Amino acid sequence: MELQEIRPYMGATTMQPLSWVVAIGIASAFILGFSMGSNDVANSFGTTVGAGILTMRQALVVAAIFDVTGGVTLGVGVANTIASKIIDVDIFADEPGLYALGMLSASLGAGACVATATKFGIPISTSHAVVGAVAGFSFVESSQGVIWIGKGASGMLGIVLSWFISPVFAGIVAVFIYLITKKYCLEAPKDIAFERHKRLASVMMGWITCLVIIFVAYEVTESGTIHDWLNIVFAVIGFLLISGISYKFLIPWMIHRARINNELEKAEQKKSSFGSRNSADIELEETMDTNPLIEEAPSETETATSSSDTYDPELEDRFNALNIMTACFMAFSHGANDIANAAGPLVAIWDTYLNGSVDGKVDIHYWIVILACFGVVTGLAMWGAYVIKTVATKLTKITASRAYSMNLGTATSVLVASFLGMPVSSTHCLIGAIIAVGLCSGEGRKAIQWKMVRNIIVSWVVTVPLAGLVSAALYAIMKHFVSGVIFPPEYQLLLCIKNCSLNNPNSTFS
């Protein structure tokens, strides 16, 4: 084998002196994923867990499967935006090691901010933290490092605008779905409401399938070719096929299973008030109840939830099956966007380490996505309860029919943004959907806990500069460990055994 063929995974790379940056970067990606799981993913499952549709254990399974799927299929565009479209990477062209160090600082800074907020039960945005942290370390090198206006998904201005547009779009979609559900199904006479629910649920499942097919197909095929038409054809076929199967088989089966589970649950409740609760659910409640930083649930006089729209309980229960599907869709869209936010810094570090240079477009590495997802599931399991109660009970009353509307509106907004490569906040989208549906619940502004909304918005605003400052401080402290390190040519790396990282002007590699 010629020396030129020696590859990094065999122990030779021009960036080998900075292997420690990669090692810490791997740990920080897991920490950032952990923080995201305990905050952003907890937000995503707040409506479903809050409405009693999924237990914490079931939410963990859904997150593990569909977050990974979304990150692998649609996360490339967002990861590229994080790595190269927020800052001008050319300022690091002469010292790629500093770029890798900056991304490490961004990952550590964002993870620290999100983890701290989660411990206090504040549902902040990981997207905000990562974007702010990436912009923060670039200011240490140059005041012109941030790309303020760029093309497409690039540039801070476009990203910040997407943070305002995405929750509004999510709210509009959620309200549209809820009002259709309300007029077509919930307010219909009971004898025909059940049949209408069956039709509506089948159409919504077909629509979810159609969206996933169309976005994934356009991501993996070349645009401007016959594939554009084929993608639409396959999406329509998927819509019709899944809608038909759902109407004929899936929805009736899920309703039947739900009825059996409800009967078993009632029977167990007669035996013991704790008979139907598993240890994970009890732990969730205990964590919520013992967290002193989470306010007590508002009384009826504060929120007037007693005057909100109420419908037949059996009909509401039938929406649980649809909520399971929308929860999977939420996890998929979250993986497509937010997982890429967590993986983005490590993707940039690893790509720089392999190539020995800073590139404007990075390659996605699926092991990094899986690592971030593992952190997400771990964080959701250990700390997710701190945030779930805020989203599930503090903003507005959530029922099964409202929850699926909120989830579907949020997931659609996030998926569209992922397709465009925009690192939006699933937290923003979900809060926007919750507020919009709450305003249409029959109570108007009284349905919303505006004090809690204010606190959440303040935390969002603070996140970007705070994460940026932490990232900049870390970068400034560690910069002297990287700046000026001599990188040996690749053909000489076989001689580099013990002194690869020595900053020695007399080195044989200089």
Side-chain angles (χ1 to χ4, degrees):
M1 178 182 292
E2 297 181 2
L3 291 177
Q4 290 87 341
E5 296 177 351
I6 299 295
R7 301 310 306 155
Y9 51 78
M10 297 183 68
T13 171
T14 58
M15 296 288 289
Q16 192 168 329
L18 296 184
S19 297
W20 64 272
V21 174
V22 177
I24 300 176
I26 292 173
S28 70
F30 175 83
I31 294 172
L32 185 55
F34 180 95
S35 303
M36 176 181 294
S38 57
N39 201 297
D40 281 42
V41 180
N43 298 335
S44 301
F45 287 103
T47 54
T48 310
V49 175
I53 298 161
L54 290 178
T55 65
M56 278 293 293
R57 288 181 178 178
Q58 291 168 337
L60 290 175
V61 174
V62 171
I65 296 173
F66 291 95
D67 267 82
V68 173
T69 306
V72 169
T73 55
L74 290 177
V76 179
V78 176
N80 271 316
T81 299
I82 295 296
S84 61
K85 295 182 180 180
I86 298 174
I87 62 174
D88 182 6
V89 297
D90 290 339
I91 64 176
F92 298 98
D94 294 334
E95 291 194 78
L98 291 180
Y99 173 70
L101 178 67
M103 285 297 177
L104 172 62
S105 303
S107 183
L108 291 172
C113 289
V114 177
T116 302
T118 301
K119 192 63 178 178
F120 285 87
I122 304 172
I124 70 168
S125 167
T126 305
S127 302
H128 284 199
V130 173
V131 171
V134 170
F137 82 81
S138 71
F139 277 111
V140 179
E141 286 298 317
S142 172
S143 60
Q144 305 298 319
V146 176
I147 301 174
W148 294 106
I149 301 177
K151 296 180 180 179
S154 62
M156 280 292 291
L157 180 60
I159 293 172
V160 172
L161 284 176
S162 74
W163 293 345
F164 290 93
I165 296 172
S166 57
V168 174
F169 179 69
I172 292 173
V173 175
V175 167
F176 179 73
I177 294 170
Y178 179 68
L179 291 180
I180 290 177
T181 303
K182 183 178 177 181
K183 298 296 182 182
Y184 179 72
C185 183
L186 295 175
E187 294 181 350
K190 185 174 181 179
D191 55 340
I192 63 174
F194 289 165
E195 176 61 26
R196 287 188 175 183
H197 162 267
K198 186 178 174 183
R199 296 173 187 171
L200 181 65
S202 302
V203 170
M204 290 301 175
M205 287 193 172
W207 175 245
I208 292 172
T209 304
C210 177
L211 286 177
V212 172
I213 291 175
I214 198 74
F215 285 125
V216 173
Y218 271 100
E219 181 69 25
V220 300
T221 59
E222 185 179 355
S223 60
T225 65
I226 192 174
H227 290 113
D228 292 346
W229 290 101
L230 290 177
N231 294 340
I232 296 174
V233 170
F234 282 124
V236 172
I237 292 175
F239 171 79
L240 296 175
L241 185 63
I242 297 300
S243 295
I245 293 175
S246 298
Y247 182 80
K248 193 68 176 178
F249 303 106
L250 185 59
I251 298 298
W253 177 79
M254 296 181 79
I255 292 174
H256 176 69
R257 292 296 305 171
R259 185 182 298 114
I260 293 176
N261 290 336
N262 286 338
E263 291 175 356
L264 291 175
E265 188 174 316
K266 291 177 180 178
E268 288 293 327
Q269 286 176 346
K270 291 180 180 179
K271 295 179 180 179
S272 172
S273 60
F274 298 94
S276 63
R277 299 162 62 203
N278 57 41
S279 59
D281 296 327
I282 296 174
E283 182 181 356
L284 170 63
E285 292 183 11
E286 290 176 347
T287 306
M288 291 176 176
D289 293 337
T290 57
N291 183 6
L293 296 166
I294 296 180
E295 301 175 7
E296 289 299 315
S299 64
E300 286 188 4
T301 57
E302 292 176 292
T303 62
T305 55
S306 60
S307 62
S308 63
D309 294 338
T310 55
Y311 302 101
D312 183 82
E314 186 178 353
L315 180 60
E316 284 280 0
D317 287 343
R318 292 199 172 201
F319 281 93
N320 290 349
L322 190 56
N323 267 297
I324 295 174
M325 185 69 173
T326 57
C328 297
F329 188 37
M330 276 279 288
F332 178 86
S333 64
H334 179 271
N337 200 289
D338 291 55
I339 292 296
N341 292 333
L346 181 56
V347 168
I349 294 170
W350 185 246
D351 198 74
T352 304
Y353 182 74
L354 293 184
N355 299 321
S357 61
V358 179
D359 193 357
K361 185 176 182 180
V362 298
D363 296 323
I364 194 69
H365 302 279
Y366 296 113
W367 68 269
I368 297 178
V369 175
I370 294 173
L371 172 68
C373 289
F374 181 65
V376 163
V377 175
T378 306
L380 178 62
M382 296 182 64
W383 280 11
Y386 286 103
V387 174
I388 282 181
K389 188 177 182 182
T390 299
V391 175
T393 64
K394 295 300 182 181
L395 294 176
T396 190
K397 179 182 178 181
I398 295 178
T399 63
S401 60
R402 297 181 191 180
Y404 107 88
S405 304
M406 297 167 183
N407 288 344
L408 196 50
T410 301
T412 301
S413 180
V414 174
L415 200 62
V416 170
S418 302
F419 178 72
L420 297 175
M422 302 296 294
V424 301
S425 168
S426 60
T427 309
H428 271 196
C429 296
L430 181 62
I431 299 301
I434 290 176
I435 292 174
V437 173
L439 291 173
C440 297
S441 64
E443 302 173 78
R445 297 183 73 257
K446 293 181 179 180
I448 308 299
Q449 276 289 92
W450 295 106
K451 181 180 178 181
M452 181 59 65
V453 174
R454 181 201 64 194
N455 294 342
I456 292 173
I457 292 176
V458 169
S459 70
W460 289 344
V461 173
V462 172
T463 300
V464 174
L466 180 60
L469 287 173
V470 174
S471 173
L474 291 173
Y475 179 77
I477 292 171
M478 295 188 291
K479 180 180 176 180
H480 71 279
F481 292 109
V482 174
S483 182
V485 170
I486 298 171
F487 298 106
E490 189 168 316
Y491 70 88
Q492 291 183 333
L493 281 169
L494 292 181
L495 303 176
C496 180
I497 299 175
K498 294 183 179 180
N499 65 339
C500 289
S501 59
L502 292 178
N503 188 358
N504 183 4
N506 299 320
S507 170
T508 58
F509 300 133
S510 60

